[in-house]
Amino acid sequence: DSLSSLIQLQKKKKELQLLQKVLEAKEEEFRERMEAICCRWREVHGKEAQLKTYMEKSERILKESGKMPIQALKKASKDRERTVQMESELGKAKREMDALRNKHQKLCSKVQKYSIFQKFLEEVVKISQFEDIQEVISHYKSLVRIRKEQLHSQQEQKEMSERAKMLLDQYTTEKEAEILQYRKELVQLQLRLDQAQKDVVLWDTCWANIRDTTAEKMRLLGAIQLATFNLFQ
């Protein structure tokens, strides 16, 4: 919760500083625009006064002479057009000034709204071991850096764990396939062993018969030899 509050506090602090810079720039721009508008306003009023004087003079001359030179009419027309143009520019400048005032008011309200975070930081300094707000911000940045390092380490550990799990699954799959193959070979060998054991029993029986036959023949041969020896004697 403390880290989250410090994070939000730092964000609001940055926004406040940015808004302060923007406000200062807008105020400077506003002052320049106001000075330019004031200059234009004075020029317009000067031109209006000159035009009014000229019109009065022209009307007076017209009344006196009953006619106005064409050149004077053209100049008066140009002066009227210039006056209309300047009045249009003045209206535009007034609208821009109103827009700037509204924007300035909004920025002031926003700065006033975020000033609570400045007060909060000052209160934090008062009740903590920090000496100033900058030390609080530095401590906060250290916490953020440590948090990022922890998250990075956790991410690396997670990736390593996932890789190890993937390798373990792959190794397990390979070993299961090998075990299945060995089991198939074991079944084949067991069948061959059973068949060999059956063959051994069969050949043991044949061998026993052969031994019995051989023994009988040997006894018969012994009897024949004995009989032959007796006959010879």
Side-chain angles (χ1 to χ4, degrees):
D1 293 338
S2 299
L3 181 59
S4 178
S5 299
L6 285 173
I7 291 173
Q8 295 296 326
L9 185 62
Q10 180 64 10
K11 289 182 179 179
K12 296 301 181 182
K13 180 68 175 178
K14 289 182 178 179
E15 291 180 3
L16 181 61
Q17 294 175 351
L18 180 61
L19 286 174
Q20 187 67 31
K21 291 180 180 179
V22 173
L23 181 60
E24 292 175 356
K26 291 296 182 181
E27 287 178 348
E28 183 65 23
E29 182 182 357
F30 180 75
R31 285 193 295 270
E32 292 177 357
R33 295 294 296 275
M34 286 298 296
E35 291 177 359
I37 289 171
C38 290
C39 291
R40 296 292 297 278
W41 183 262
R42 288 192 293 270
E43 290 178 1
V44 169
H45 278 288
K47 292 293 183 180
E48 285 181 348
Q50 292 177 4
L51 181 62
K52 185 177 181 181
T53 302
Y54 179 78
M55 291 297 295
E56 290 176 354
K57 184 178 179 181
S58 299
E59 289 178 359
R60 187 172 60 254
I61 293 174
L62 180 63
K63 288 180 181 179
E64 291 176 357
S65 60
K67 62 180 181 178
M68 180 179 290
I70 296 176
Q71 185 176 1
L73 289 174
K74 290 182 179 181
K75 184 178 180 182
S77 177
K78 289 181 179 180
D79 289 338
R80 289 193 190 95
E81 291 178 357
R82 189 179 304 166
T83 301
V84 172
Q85 182 179 0
M86 294 182 69
E87 288 178 350
S88 176
E89 292 179 357
L90 181 61
K92 182 179 179 181
K94 286 181 179 180
R95 290 192 295 272
E96 291 179 356
M97 184 175 64
D98 292 336
L100 287 173
R101 283 177 178 172
N102 293 332
K103 194 169 185 178
H104 181 268
Q105 185 64 33
K106 290 180 180 179
L107 289 173
C108 289
S109 301
K110 205 166 187 179
V111 170
Q112 183 67 27
K113 178 181 176 182
Y114 288 156
S115 63
I116 185 174
F117 297 103
Q118 180 72 21
K119 295 179 181 178
F120 175 75
L121 284 173
E122 293 174 354
E123 294 296 328
V124 169
V125 172
K126 289 180 182 179
I127 63 175
S128 65
Q129 74 276 14
F130 301 108
E131 296 181 357
D132 52 20
I133 294 176
Q134 187 60 39
E135 190 174 352
V136 175
I137 295 174
S138 299
H139 182 67
Y140 155 75
K141 290 181 179 180
S142 299
L143 292 176
V144 171
R145 185 180 66 257
I146 293 171
R147 178 61 176 168
K148 288 182 179 179
E149 291 175 355
Q150 289 178 347
L151 292 175
H152 183 68
S153 177
Q154 291 176 359
Q155 183 65 24
E156 288 183 348
Q157 291 178 359
K158 182 179 179 181
E159 292 176 357
M160 290 177 63
S161 177
E162 290 177 353
R163 287 197 297 268
K165 184 177 182 300
M166 182 178 64
L167 292 174
L168 179 60
D169 292 340
Q170 183 179 357
Y171 178 79
T172 303
T173 303
E174 292 176 356
K175 292 305 175 183
E176 287 178 352
E178 290 181 4
I179 291 172
L180 181 61
Q181 183 65 27
Y182 290 151
R183 285 178 179 174
K184 290 180 180 179
E185 293 178 359
L186 182 61
V187 170
Q188 295 294 330
L189 291 173
Q190 186 65 41
L191 293 175
R192 291 176 62 183
L193 177 60
D194 294 340
Q195 184 64 37
Q197 289 176 347
K198 291 178 181 179
D199 293 340
V200 167
V201 172
L202 178 61
W203 287 107
D204 284 343
T205 303
C206 292
W207 176 247
N209 292 331
I210 291 171
R211 282 186 302 176
D212 293 341
T213 303
T214 303
E216 183 65 28
K217 289 183 180 292
M218 290 297 293
R219 286 194 298 272
L220 179 60
L221 179 60
I224 292 172
Q225 288 177 348
L226 182 60
T228 304
F229 179 76
N230 289 333
L231 290 175
F232 178 74
Q233 291 293 331

